[in-house]
PDB file of all heavy atoms in Angstrom:
ATOM      1  N   LEU A 138      13.906 -86.315 -62.963  1.00  0.00           N
ATOM      2  CA  LEU A 138      14.731 -85.604 -61.993  1.00  0.00           C
ATOM      3  C   LEU A 138      15.867 -86.501 -61.531  1.00  0.00           C
ATOM      4  O   LEU A 138      15.655 -87.672 -61.244  1.00  0.00           O
ATOM      5  CB  LEU A 138      13.891 -85.210 -60.775  1.00  0.00           C
ATOM      6  CG  LEU A 138      12.799 -84.191 -61.020  1.00  0.00           C
ATOM      7  CD1 LEU A 138      11.975 -84.012 -59.771  1.00  0.00           C
ATOM      8  CD2 LEU A 138      13.404 -82.863 -61.420  1.00  0.00           C
ATOM      9  N   ARG A 167      -9.108 -79.687 -41.677  1.00  0.00           N
ATOM     10  CA  ARG A 167      -8.497 -78.431 -41.208  1.00  0.00           C
ATOM     11  C   ARG A 167      -7.229 -78.118 -41.994  1.00  0.00           C
ATOM     12  O   ARG A 167      -6.978 -76.974 -42.369  1.00  0.00           O
ATOM     13  CB  ARG A 167      -8.152 -78.552 -39.725  1.00  0.00           C
ATOM     14  CG  ARG A 167      -9.303 -78.237 -38.823  1.00  0.00           C
ATOM     15  CD  ARG A 167      -8.793 -78.216 -37.389  1.00  0.00           C
ATOM     16  NE  ARG A 167      -9.816 -78.718 -36.490  1.00  0.00           N
ATOM     17  CZ  ARG A 167      -9.564 -79.258 -35.314  1.00  0.00           C
ATOM     18  NH1 ARG A 167      -8.340 -79.376 -34.897  1.00  0.00           N
ATOM     19  NH2 ARG A 167     -10.542 -79.671 -34.554  1.00  0.00           N
ATOM     20  N   GLU A 170      -8.119 -76.809 -45.295  1.00  0.00           N
ATOM     21  CA  GLU A 170      -8.519 -75.402 -45.220  1.00  0.00           C
ATOM     22  C   GLU A 170      -7.290 -74.496 -45.190  1.00  0.00           C
ATOM     23  O   GLU A 170      -7.263 -73.442 -45.805  1.00  0.00           O
ATOM     24  CB  GLU A 170      -9.364 -75.156 -43.965  1.00  0.00           C
ATOM     25  CG  GLU A 170     -10.755 -75.736 -44.066  1.00  0.00           C
ATOM     26  CD  GLU A 170     -11.533 -75.514 -42.787  1.00  0.00           C
ATOM     27  OE1 GLU A 170     -11.324 -76.280 -41.828  1.00  0.00           O
ATOM     28  OE2 GLU A 170     -12.348 -74.600 -42.730  1.00  0.00           O
ATOM     29  N   GLY A 288      12.947 -66.498 -61.010  1.00  0.00           N
ATOM     30  CA  GLY A 288      14.079 -67.356 -60.707  1.00  0.00           C
ATOM     31  C   GLY A 288      13.755 -68.817 -60.535  1.00  0.00           C
ATOM     32  O   GLY A 288      14.582 -69.615 -60.171  1.00  0.00           O
ATOM     33  N   GLN A 290      11.713 -72.208 -62.316  1.00  0.00           N
ATOM     34  CA  GLN A 290      10.972 -72.749 -63.449  1.00  0.00           C
ATOM     35  C   GLN A 290       9.609 -73.198 -62.950  1.00  0.00           C
ATOM     36  O   GLN A 290       9.494 -74.095 -62.136  1.00  0.00           O
ATOM     37  CB  GLN A 290      11.723 -73.949 -64.049  1.00  0.00           C
ATOM     38  CG  GLN A 290      13.116 -73.623 -64.519  1.00  0.00           C
ATOM     39  CD  GLN A 290      13.119 -72.919 -65.863  1.00  0.00           C
ATOM     40  OE1 GLN A 290      12.061 -72.657 -66.438  1.00  0.00           O
ATOM     41  NE2 GLN A 290      14.284 -72.575 -66.364  1.00  0.00           N
ATOM     42  N   HIS A 301       1.667 -82.216 -54.619  1.00  0.00           N
ATOM     43  CA  HIS A 301       1.854 -83.021 -53.410  1.00  0.00           C
ATOM     44  C   HIS A 301       0.856 -82.677 -52.319  1.00  0.00           C
ATOM     45  O   HIS A 301       0.471 -83.542 -51.532  1.00  0.00           O
ATOM     46  CB  HIS A 301       3.281 -82.853 -52.901  1.00  0.00           C
ATOM     47  CG  HIS A 301       4.232 -83.693 -53.664  1.00  0.00           C
ATOM     48  ND1 HIS A 301       4.617 -83.378 -54.930  1.00  0.00           N
ATOM     49  CD2 HIS A 301       4.820 -84.864 -53.360  1.00  0.00           C
ATOM     50  CE1 HIS A 301       5.429 -84.313 -55.377  1.00  0.00           C
ATOM     51  NE2 HIS A 301       5.567 -85.221 -54.448  1.00  0.00           N
ATOM     52  N   HIS A 332      -9.301 -86.415 -32.039  1.00  0.00           N
ATOM     53  CA  HIS A 332      -8.151 -85.638 -31.584  1.00  0.00           C
ATOM     54  C   HIS A 332      -7.273 -86.487 -30.705  1.00  0.00           C
ATOM     55  O   HIS A 332      -7.727 -87.333 -29.968  1.00  0.00           O
ATOM     56  CB  HIS A 332      -8.632 -84.412 -30.801  1.00  0.00           C
ATOM     57  CG  HIS A 332      -7.549 -83.430 -30.577  1.00  0.00           C
ATOM     58  ND1 HIS A 332      -6.878 -83.330 -29.395  1.00  0.00           N
ATOM     59  CD2 HIS A 332      -6.991 -82.525 -31.402  1.00  0.00           C
ATOM     60  CE1 HIS A 332      -5.957 -82.394 -29.482  1.00  0.00           C
ATOM     61  NE2 HIS A 332      -6.000 -81.897 -30.693  1.00  0.00           N
TER      62      HIS A 332
ATOM     63  N   GLN B 324      17.605 -78.440 -61.587  1.00  0.00           N
ATOM     64  CA  GLN B 324      17.032 -78.089 -62.888  1.00  0.00           C
ATOM     65  C   GLN B 324      15.817 -77.182 -62.778  1.00  0.00           C
ATOM     66  O   GLN B 324      15.335 -76.664 -63.775  1.00  0.00           O
ATOM     67  CB  GLN B 324      16.671 -79.355 -63.671  1.00  0.00           C
ATOM     68  CG  GLN B 324      15.597 -80.189 -63.040  1.00  0.00           C
ATOM     69  CD  GLN B 324      16.150 -81.120 -61.968  1.00  0.00           C
ATOM     70  OE1 GLN B 324      16.885 -80.691 -61.074  1.00  0.00           O
ATOM     71  NE2 GLN B 324      15.781 -82.364 -62.041  1.00  0.00           N
ATOM     72  N   VAL B 325      15.321 -77.005 -61.552  1.00  0.00           N
ATOM     73  CA  VAL B 325      14.214 -76.081 -61.354  1.00  0.00           C
ATOM     74  C   VAL B 325      14.680 -74.634 -61.538  1.00  0.00           C
ATOM     75  O   VAL B 325      13.913 -73.770 -61.933  1.00  0.00           O
ATOM     76  CB  VAL B 325      13.611 -76.295 -59.947  1.00  0.00           C
ATOM     77  CG1 VAL B 325      12.687 -75.169 -59.561  1.00  0.00           C
ATOM     78  CG2 VAL B 325      12.871 -77.613 -59.909  1.00  0.00           C
ATOM     79  N   PHE B 436       9.964 -81.938 -53.267  1.00  0.00           N
ATOM     80  CA  PHE B 436       9.033 -82.969 -52.785  1.00  0.00           C
ATOM     81  C   PHE B 436       9.095 -83.031 -51.260  1.00  0.00           C
ATOM     82  O   PHE B 436       8.080 -82.991 -50.565  1.00  0.00           O
ATOM     83  CB  PHE B 436       9.439 -84.360 -53.304  1.00  0.00           C
ATOM     84  CG  PHE B 436       9.279 -84.538 -54.779  1.00  0.00           C
ATOM     85  CD1 PHE B 436      10.378 -84.727 -55.586  1.00  0.00           C
ATOM     86  CD2 PHE B 436       8.027 -84.549 -55.366  1.00  0.00           C
ATOM     87  CE1 PHE B 436      10.250 -84.924 -56.945  1.00  0.00           C
ATOM     88  CE2 PHE B 436       7.894 -84.732 -56.720  1.00  0.00           C
ATOM     89  CZ  PHE B 436       8.996 -84.923 -57.522  1.00  0.00           C
ATOM     90  N   ALA B 450      -2.770 -78.632 -37.093  1.00  0.00           N
ATOM     91  CA  ALA B 450      -4.227 -78.825 -37.143  1.00  0.00           C
ATOM     92  C   ALA B 450      -4.700 -79.725 -36.013  1.00  0.00           C
ATOM     93  O   ALA B 450      -5.858 -79.650 -35.594  1.00  0.00           O
ATOM     94  CB  ALA B 450      -4.627 -79.408 -38.490  1.00  0.00           C
ATOM     95  N   SER B 451      -3.792 -80.578 -35.520  1.00  0.00           N
ATOM     96  CA  SER B 451      -4.218 -81.513 -34.464  1.00  0.00           C
ATOM     97  C   SER B 451      -4.131 -80.886 -33.074  1.00  0.00           C
ATOM     98  O   SER B 451      -4.601 -81.474 -32.108  1.00  0.00           O
ATOM     99  CB  SER B 451      -3.352 -82.767 -34.503  1.00  0.00           C
ATOM    100  OG  SER B 451      -2.036 -82.453 -34.075  1.00  0.00           O
ATOM    101  N   ALA B 466     -12.565 -72.867 -40.574  1.00  0.00           N
ATOM    102  CA  ALA B 466     -12.708 -71.489 -41.041  1.00  0.00           C
ATOM    103  C   ALA B 466     -13.800 -70.745 -40.280  1.00  0.00           C
ATOM    104  O   ALA B 466     -14.863 -71.281 -40.018  1.00  0.00           O
ATOM    105  CB  ALA B 466     -13.032 -71.485 -42.527  1.00  0.00           C
TER     106      ALA B 466
END
Side-chain angles (χ1 to χ4, degrees):
Chain A
L138 294 174
R167 275 187 214 155
E170 287 178 280
Q290 301 282 1
H301 280 74
H332 193 259
Chain B
Q324 64 276 50
V325 167
F436 292 114
S451 70

